[in-house]
Amino acid sequence: MNALAARFNAIFGADMAGPLAALAAVLIVFGVASPHFLTSATFGSVAFQLPELGILTLAMLMPILTGGLNLAITFTANIAGLTLAWTLQANGGIDAGPGAFLLGSALALAVGAASGLVMGLVIAFTRAHPILVSLSMMIFLRGLGEFLTRGGDISGFPIAPIGHGSILGIPVPLLILIACVIASHILLSRSKLGFSTYMIGSNIESARYSGINTRKVLVLVYMLSGVMAAVAGIIMLARFNSVRVGHGESYLLITVLACFLGGINPFGGFGRVLPVFVALIVLQLLSSGLNLLGANQHLTTAVWGILLIVVMVLRWLSAKFIRIVK
């Protein structure tokens, strides 16, 4: 048994055991409970619903690895989407061409980067707690968006391939998510910024004394978080052909849950992208399974909240068991 566990850890990593076990449990339980669960329709639904949630989770991941949090990701996504929407409206609305979409997307990414830049600068130079700083940014972005849109929706845009197209039968938004997962994995595992991110999450003072420019790293981390959130905002507008402030607010809970279910240390310094990606698939399959059984979205959200508590308790029990064995 120990040899099998060692081989599994060598191939997949110890942090993949929990997400893979959860994936197997969801497939077995709902596969037995509903004859329609293990079908192409279910997995097609997961592929359609996963991208924006997955990209928002990646936006949450890097701040958590530094020991922080970005509570403003959903409103950053909405403001970025609004920026793209206003650009399209200014260039013909439904008749806007690809050039207008590219310009609006670039401006949307710039808005996301600016949001992260402000948070990163405040956190890095004042040492204010990331929860307070990102909460303040969330309130600011929400109020700004409500003021500019008067609480309404903006709709009527050209149908973009980035939202509804497919390549070899795979939805383009899913391909974008996979590209973001690969890029995040390489960034965290193979780059100096990724190494510095883990060092700061483990002990920011030790990282500073070891020569790491912790202020620069924190600013870059929150800027990248803002850019990733903006990518999610662009995809949401392209897919739903409308945007409003407050869209996807429930995603905030799920991004945190996916990170913790994927083995991310809530205090920072430890965790990988791939287990988090598997955890996202688990959560989306759980949602689809509950829908097939007749549960409404509110019950699904409640189950996600309970699952977050269960994950924290199980991780505490696992750590306690390991200490007893040692």
Side-chain angles (χ1 to χ4, degrees), residues 165-191:
S166 62
I167 298 176
L168 299 177
I170 303 174
V172 171
L174 182 61
L175 292 174
I176 295 174
L177 169 61
I178 293 172
C180 290
V181 168
I182 294 172
S184 298
H185 173 72
I186 294 174
L187 176 67
L188 289 171
S189 62
R190 302 294 178 86
S191 72

Side-chain angles (χ1 to χ4, degrees), residues 26 29-31 33-34 37 42 46 282-307:
V26 168
V29 170
F30 287 106
S34 173
F37 181 71
T42 298
V46 170
V282 170
L283 292 175
Q284 201 60 65
L285 285 171
L286 178 64
S287 175
S288 297
L290 289 172
N291 288 337
L292 285 174
L293 295 179
N296 62 34
Q297 185 60 41
H298 300 294
L299 178 59
T300 301
T301 304
V303 171
W304 278 331
I306 291 296
L307 184 59

Side-chain angles (χ1 to χ4, degrees), residues 2-198:
N2 289 337
L4 183 61
R7 184 176 179 82
F8 177 89
N9 293 341
I11 297 174
F12 299 103
D15 52 354
M16 282 291 283
L20 288 177
L23 177 60
V26 168
L27 290 174
I28 292 171
V29 170
F30 287 106
V32 172
S34 173
H36 303 292
F37 181 71
L38 297 177
T39 62
S40 58
T42 298
F43 294 103
S45 174
V46 170
F48 180 78
Q49 297 176 26
L50 189 63
E52 65 264 24
L53 172 60
I55 295 173
L56 284 172
T57 301
L58 294 177
M60 179 65 78
L61 175 60
M62 287 190 68
I64 291 181
L65 287 175
T66 64
L69 205 65
N70 185 357
L71 298 177
I73 54 172
T74 55
F75 288 100
T76 300
N78 290 330
I79 288 295
L82 287 169
T83 301
L84 173 56
W86 290 323
T87 304
L88 292 173
Q89 281 193 335
N91 288 274
I94 197 170
D95 297 320
F101 188 88
L102 291 175
L103 173 62
S105 296
L107 292 174
L109 294 175
V111 167
S115 170
L117 174 64
V118 172
M119 287 187 288
L121 288 172
V122 174
I123 292 168
F125 285 90
T126 70
R127 298 191 182 183
H129 200 287
I131 290 180
L132 296 177
V133 176
S134 60
L135 178 62
S136 300
M137 179 58 71
M138 180 185 76
I139 295 171
F140 166 73
L141 292 176
R142 179 172 187 168
L144 178 64
E146 294 283 3
F147 170 75
L148 293 174
T149 64
R150 290 175 171 79
D153 293 359
I154 299 179
S155 59
F157 311 110
I159 301 299
I162 194 176
H164 297 275
S166 62
I167 298 176
L168 299 177
I170 303 174
V172 171
L174 182 61
L175 292 174
I176 295 174
L177 169 61
I178 293 172
C180 290
V181 168
I182 294 172
S184 298
H185 173 72
I186 294 174
L187 176 67
L188 289 171
S189 62
R190 302 294 178 86
S191 72
K192 182 180 178 181
L193 177 61
F195 174 78
S196 300
T197 298
Y198 286 112

